């Protein structure tokens, strides 16, 4: 489990320890996606860093994103912003937009971007 209690302020963006990108709160919402249900971050396969979304990675990483290969879907790569538990890709893809640990609702529209994170 990753602890997200350490905050620092930089250019009107809250930085959460271990989560990169343009986060705006401790539940890993970002400037791009910040509804009540936008509370996950994805560990990107290319760098193994957590980002709230593909746009945060694109704007702040110094490299191109790579998707998780299916053979590694048992790797913990999703962070619930509500309880801070990590989920494997398989757990996330089968969770029906709810954290299996705390039951927090995830944005079901994230499915529209699955191809940006995971091999389909």
């Amino acid at each position: 489990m990753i602890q997200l209690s350490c905050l620092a302020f930089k250019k009107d963006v809250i930085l959460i320890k271990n989560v990169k990108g343009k986060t705006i709160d401790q539940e890993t919402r970002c400037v791009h996606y910040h509804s009540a249900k936008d509370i996950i971050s994805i560990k990107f396969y290319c760098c193994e860093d957590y980002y709230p979304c593909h746009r945060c990675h694109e704007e702040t990483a110094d490299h191109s994103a790579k998707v998780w290969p299916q053979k590694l879907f048992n790797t913990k790569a999703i962070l619930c912003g509500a309880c801070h538990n990590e989920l494997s890709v398989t757990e996330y893809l089968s969770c029906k937009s709810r954290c299996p640990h705390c039951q927090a609702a995830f944005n079901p529209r994230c499915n529209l971007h699955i191809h940006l994170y995971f091999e389909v």
Side-chain angles (χ1 to χ4, degrees), residues 20-22 32-33 44 46-47 51-66 116-117:
K20 296 184 176 184
K22 297 179 177 182
H32 308 106
Y33 301 99
F44 276 71
C46 49
C47 56
Y51 288 86
C53 75
H54 62 98
R55 292 173 62 191
C56 282
H57 184 276
E58 183 180 305
E59 292 174 6
T60 60
D62 61 358
H63 58 274
S64 297
K66 294 185 180 173
L116 299 173
Y117 308 109

Side-chain angles (χ1 to χ4, degrees), residues 37 39-40 78 80 82-83 87 90-108 111:
K37 294 181 181 180
I39 58 168
I40 65 158
I78 308 297
C80 173
C83 69
L87 288 69
T90 300
E91 286 176 303
Y92 174 69
L93 294 176
S94 65
C95 76
K96 297 182 180 166
S97 299
R98 285 216 172 265
C99 177
H101 300 281
C102 71
Q103 299 305 307
F106 299 150
N107 189 338
N111 287 332

Side-chain angles (χ1 to χ4, degrees), residues 23-82:
T23 57
I24 60 171
D25 67 18
Q26 286 188 306
E27 291 189 334
T28 75
R29 289 177 190 87
C30 69
V31 298
H32 308 106
Y33 301 99
H34 44 268
S35 78
K37 294 181 181 180
D38 289 314
I39 58 168
I40 65 158
S41 286
I42 299 103
K43 183 189 295 184
F44 276 71
Y45 178 66
C46 49
C47 56
E48 296 196 7
D49 288 327
Y50 275 101
Y51 288 86
C53 75
H54 62 98
R55 292 173 62 191
C56 282
H57 184 276
E58 183 180 305
E59 292 174 6
T60 60
D62 61 358
H63 58 274
S64 297
K66 294 185 180 173
V67 299
W68 281 95
Q70 286 183 356
K71 67 182 179 183
L72 296 177
F73 277 14
N74 287 327
T75 304
K76 298 227 182 251
I78 308 297
L79 180 69
C80 173

